[in-house]
Amino acid sequence: MTAETAMALPVLVAVTIGLVWLLSVGLAQVRVVDAARETARAAARGDDAGGALEIGRRVAPPGASVDLGVGGDEVRAVVTAPVVGPGGVFGFLPTVQVRAEAVTVPEARP
């Protein structure tokens, strides 16, 4: 029984670390979607570009890039963020980039 456990334990640890990393990728994706939505919403309701970008940066994961484009009849926010392996264990793997884009129309001003 001990030999089987010794053989299976490293595999179980690797699978667990991999699942935690996938969970962190999913969480980062949710955060970039939220950041893009909040940035576009703020710009659409008339906030200045700097304020809208600041809102997006607060919601986005660390190291994210938040871009805002306002033109004509649309407001477009794009957020990208890198996701690295957990604790440097998978440092040999490439960094995953998560991206989200939100598009809305500016609100009418009375």
PDB file of all heavy atoms in Angstrom, residues 59-78:
ATOM      1  N   VAL A  59     -11.124  47.226 -10.590  1.00  0.00           N
ATOM      2  CA  VAL A  59     -11.833  45.953 -10.691  1.00  0.00           C
ATOM      3  C   VAL A  59     -10.960  44.865 -11.317  1.00  0.00           C
ATOM      4  O   VAL A  59     -11.053  43.697 -10.966  1.00  0.00           O
ATOM      5  CB  VAL A  59     -13.134  46.135 -11.507  1.00  0.00           C
ATOM      6  CG1 VAL A  59     -13.850  44.817 -11.714  1.00  0.00           C
ATOM      7  CG2 VAL A  59     -14.045  47.144 -10.831  1.00  0.00           C
ATOM      8  N   ALA A  60     -10.078  45.257 -12.229  1.00  0.00           N
ATOM      9  CA  ALA A  60      -9.258  44.301 -12.986  1.00  0.00           C
ATOM     10  C   ALA A  60      -8.218  43.631 -12.093  1.00  0.00           C
ATOM     11  O   ALA A  60      -7.828  44.169 -11.058  1.00  0.00           O
ATOM     12  CB  ALA A  60      -8.567  45.027 -14.135  1.00  0.00           C
ATOM     13  N   PRO A  61      -7.739  42.456 -12.512  1.00  0.00           N
ATOM     14  CA  PRO A  61      -6.671  41.801 -11.752  1.00  0.00           C
ATOM     15  C   PRO A  61      -5.357  42.574 -11.856  1.00  0.00           C
ATOM     16  O   PRO A  61      -5.192  43.395 -12.768  1.00  0.00           O
ATOM     17  CB  PRO A  61      -6.561  40.419 -12.403  1.00  0.00           C
ATOM     18  CG  PRO A  61      -7.292  40.486 -13.679  1.00  0.00           C
ATOM     19  CD  PRO A  61      -8.203  41.650 -13.638  1.00  0.00           C
ATOM     20  N   PRO A  62      -4.423  42.341 -10.953  1.00  0.00           N
ATOM     21  CA  PRO A  62      -3.136  43.032 -11.002  1.00  0.00           C
ATOM     22  C   PRO A  62      -2.418  42.799 -12.334  1.00  0.00           C
ATOM     23  O   PRO A  62      -2.452  41.704 -12.886  1.00  0.00           O
ATOM     24  CB  PRO A  62      -2.338  42.408  -9.851  1.00  0.00           C
ATOM     25  CG  PRO A  62      -3.363  41.789  -8.958  1.00  0.00           C
ATOM     26  CD  PRO A  62      -4.514  41.421  -9.820  1.00  0.00           C
ATOM     27  N   GLY A  63      -1.801  43.845 -12.855  1.00  0.00           N
ATOM     28  CA  GLY A  63      -1.054  43.745 -14.106  1.00  0.00           C
ATOM     29  C   GLY A  63      -1.908  43.857 -15.347  1.00  0.00           C
ATOM     30  O   GLY A  63      -1.417  43.672 -16.463  1.00  0.00           O
ATOM     31  N   ALA A  64      -3.187  44.172 -15.180  1.00  0.00           N
ATOM     32  CA  ALA A  64      -4.100  44.251 -16.324  1.00  0.00           C
ATOM     33  C   ALA A  64      -3.904  45.557 -17.086  1.00  0.00           C
ATOM     34  O   ALA A  64      -3.496  46.571 -16.536  1.00  0.00           O
ATOM     35  CB  ALA A  64      -5.541  44.138 -15.860  1.00  0.00           C
ATOM     36  N   SER A  65      -4.233  45.495 -18.355  1.00  0.00           N
ATOM     37  CA  SER A  65      -4.235  46.666 -19.225  1.00  0.00           C
ATOM     38  C   SER A  65      -5.679  47.028 -19.521  1.00  0.00           C
ATOM     39  O   SER A  65      -6.464  46.174 -19.954  1.00  0.00           O
ATOM     40  CB  SER A  65      -3.485  46.338 -20.521  1.00  0.00           C
ATOM     41  OG  SER A  65      -3.722  47.323 -21.494  1.00  0.00           O
ATOM     42  N   VAL A  66      -6.044  48.279 -19.271  1.00  0.00           N
ATOM     43  CA  VAL A  66      -7.416  48.746 -19.505  1.00  0.00           C
ATOM     44  C   VAL A  66      -7.364  49.838 -20.561  1.00  0.00           C
ATOM     45  O   VAL A  66      -6.683  50.848 -20.381  1.00  0.00           O
ATOM     46  CB  VAL A  66      -8.057  49.285 -18.202  1.00  0.00           C
ATOM     47  CG1 VAL A  66      -9.487  49.726 -18.442  1.00  0.00           C
ATOM     48  CG2 VAL A  66      -7.987  48.250 -17.095  1.00  0.00           C
ATOM     49  N   ASP A  67      -8.080  49.640 -21.666  1.00  0.00           N
ATOM     50  CA  ASP A  67      -8.125  50.615 -22.749  1.00  0.00           C
ATOM     51  C   ASP A  67      -9.566  51.035 -22.970  1.00  0.00           C
ATOM     52  O   ASP A  67     -10.490  50.226 -22.860  1.00  0.00           O
ATOM     53  CB  ASP A  67      -7.566  50.018 -24.044  1.00  0.00           C
ATOM     54  CG  ASP A  67      -6.090  49.671 -23.918  1.00  0.00           C
ATOM     55  OD1 ASP A  67      -5.326  50.508 -23.396  1.00  0.00           O
ATOM     56  OD2 ASP A  67      -5.714  48.571 -24.330  1.00  0.00           O
ATOM     57  N   LEU A  68      -9.731  52.305 -23.326  1.00  0.00           N
ATOM     58  CA  LEU A  68     -11.064  52.861 -23.536  1.00  0.00           C
ATOM     59  C   LEU A  68     -11.095  53.626 -24.838  1.00  0.00           C
ATOM     60  O   LEU A  68     -10.197  54.423 -25.122  1.00  0.00           O
ATOM     61  CB  LEU A  68     -11.431  53.786 -22.363  1.00  0.00           C
ATOM     62  CG  LEU A  68     -12.763  54.507 -22.430  1.00  0.00           C
ATOM     63  CD1 LEU A  68     -13.911  53.501 -22.394  1.00  0.00           C
ATOM     64  CD2 LEU A  68     -12.872  55.499 -21.291  1.00  0.00           C
ATOM     65  N   GLY A  69     -12.105  53.376 -25.635  1.00  0.00           N
ATOM     66  CA  GLY A  69     -12.300  54.113 -26.870  1.00  0.00           C
ATOM     67  C   GLY A  69     -13.708  54.684 -26.898  1.00  0.00           C
ATOM     68  O   GLY A  69     -14.686  53.966 -26.745  1.00  0.00           O
ATOM     69  N   VAL A  70     -13.796  56.008 -27.057  1.00  0.00           N
ATOM     70  CA  VAL A  70     -15.094  56.678 -27.135  1.00  0.00           C
ATOM     71  C   VAL A  70     -15.138  57.384 -28.473  1.00  0.00           C
ATOM     72  O   VAL A  70     -14.300  58.225 -28.767  1.00  0.00           O
ATOM     73  CB  VAL A  70     -15.275  57.697 -25.995  1.00  0.00           C
ATOM     74  CG1 VAL A  70     -16.626  58.388 -26.094  1.00  0.00           C
ATOM     75  CG2 VAL A  70     -15.105  57.031 -24.647  1.00  0.00           C
ATOM     76  N   GLY A  71     -16.106  57.008 -29.273  1.00  0.00           N
ATOM     77  CA  GLY A  71     -16.209  57.656 -30.573  1.00  0.00           C
ATOM     78  C   GLY A  71     -17.567  57.443 -31.181  1.00  0.00           C
ATOM     79  O   GLY A  71     -18.119  56.340 -31.140  1.00  0.00           O
ATOM     80  N   GLY A  72     -18.111  58.533 -31.729  1.00  0.00           N
ATOM     81  CA  GLY A  72     -19.389  58.423 -32.407  1.00  0.00           C
ATOM     82  C   GLY A  72     -20.483  57.940 -31.487  1.00  0.00           C
ATOM     83  O   GLY A  72     -20.785  58.528 -30.462  1.00  0.00           O
ATOM     84  N   ASP A  73     -21.067  56.825 -31.844  1.00  0.00           N
ATOM     85  CA  ASP A  73     -22.209  56.311 -31.096  1.00  0.00           C
ATOM     86  C   ASP A  73     -21.882  55.066 -30.284  1.00  0.00           C
ATOM     87  O   ASP A  73     -22.769  54.275 -29.969  1.00  0.00           O
ATOM     88  CB  ASP A  73     -23.354  56.014 -32.056  1.00  0.00           C
ATOM     89  CG  ASP A  73     -22.976  54.986 -33.113  1.00  0.00           C
ATOM     90  OD1 ASP A  73     -21.765  54.700 -33.250  1.00  0.00           O
ATOM     91  OD2 ASP A  73     -23.876  54.461 -33.780  1.00  0.00           O
ATOM     92  N   GLU A  74     -20.596  54.873 -29.928  1.00  0.00           N
ATOM     93  CA  GLU A  74     -20.269  53.723 -29.100  1.00  0.00           C
ATOM     94  C   GLU A  74     -19.114  54.009 -28.155  1.00  0.00           C
ATOM     95  O   GLU A  74     -18.270  54.861 -28.400  1.00  0.00           O
ATOM     96  CB  GLU A  74     -19.961  52.483 -29.934  1.00  0.00           C
ATOM     97  CG  GLU A  74     -18.600  52.443 -30.547  1.00  0.00           C
ATOM     98  CD  GLU A  74     -18.329  51.116 -31.262  1.00  0.00           C
ATOM     99  OE1 GLU A  74     -19.270  50.392 -31.607  1.00  0.00           O
ATOM    100  OE2 GLU A  74     -17.150  50.834 -31.474  1.00  0.00           O
ATOM    101  N   VAL A  75     -19.132  53.279 -27.061  1.00  0.00           N
ATOM    102  CA  VAL A  75     -18.053  53.292 -26.063  1.00  0.00           C
ATOM    103  C   VAL A  75     -17.541  51.865 -25.997  1.00  0.00           C
ATOM    104  O   VAL A  75     -18.309  50.928 -25.829  1.00  0.00           O
ATOM    105  CB  VAL A  75     -18.580  53.739 -24.685  1.00  0.00           C
ATOM    106  CG1 VAL A  75     -17.487  53.632 -23.641  1.00  0.00           C
ATOM    107  CG2 VAL A  75     -19.147  55.141 -24.749  1.00  0.00           C
ATOM    108  N   ARG A  76     -16.225  51.700 -26.145  1.00  0.00           N
ATOM    109  CA  ARG A  76     -15.626  50.361 -26.164  1.00  0.00           C
ATOM    110  C   ARG A  76     -14.505  50.300 -25.125  1.00  0.00           C
ATOM    111  O   ARG A  76     -13.590  51.110 -25.132  1.00  0.00           O
ATOM    112  CB  ARG A  76     -15.072  50.067 -27.547  1.00  0.00           C
ATOM    113  CG  ARG A  76     -14.445  48.705 -27.700  1.00  0.00           C
ATOM    114  CD  ARG A  76     -13.945  48.485 -29.127  1.00  0.00           C
ATOM    115  NE  ARG A  76     -14.986  48.684 -30.106  1.00  0.00           N
ATOM    116  CZ  ARG A  76     -15.766  47.713 -30.589  1.00  0.00           C
ATOM    117  NH1 ARG A  76     -15.598  46.481 -30.177  1.00  0.00           N
ATOM    118  NH2 ARG A  76     -16.695  47.972 -31.468  1.00  0.00           N
ATOM    119  N   ALA A  77     -14.595  49.312 -24.250  1.00  0.00           N
ATOM    120  CA  ALA A  77     -13.556  49.086 -23.243  1.00  0.00           C
ATOM    121  C   ALA A  77     -12.978  47.692 -23.461  1.00  0.00           C
ATOM    122  O   ALA A  77     -13.708  46.725 -23.639  1.00  0.00           O
ATOM    123  CB  ALA A  77     -14.136  49.193 -21.834  1.00  0.00           C
ATOM    124  N   VAL A  78     -11.646  47.622 -23.469  1.00  0.00           N
ATOM    125  CA  VAL A  78     -10.946  46.350 -23.646  1.00  0.00           C
ATOM    126  C   VAL A  78      -9.989  46.174 -22.475  1.00  0.00           C
ATOM    127  O   VAL A  78      -9.196  47.066 -22.176  1.00  0.00           O
ATOM    128  CB  VAL A  78     -10.169  46.315 -24.979  1.00  0.00           C
ATOM    129  CG1 VAL A  78      -9.424  45.001 -25.125  1.00  0.00           C
ATOM    130  CG2 VAL A  78     -11.098  46.543 -26.153  1.00  0.00           C
TER     131      VAL A  78
END
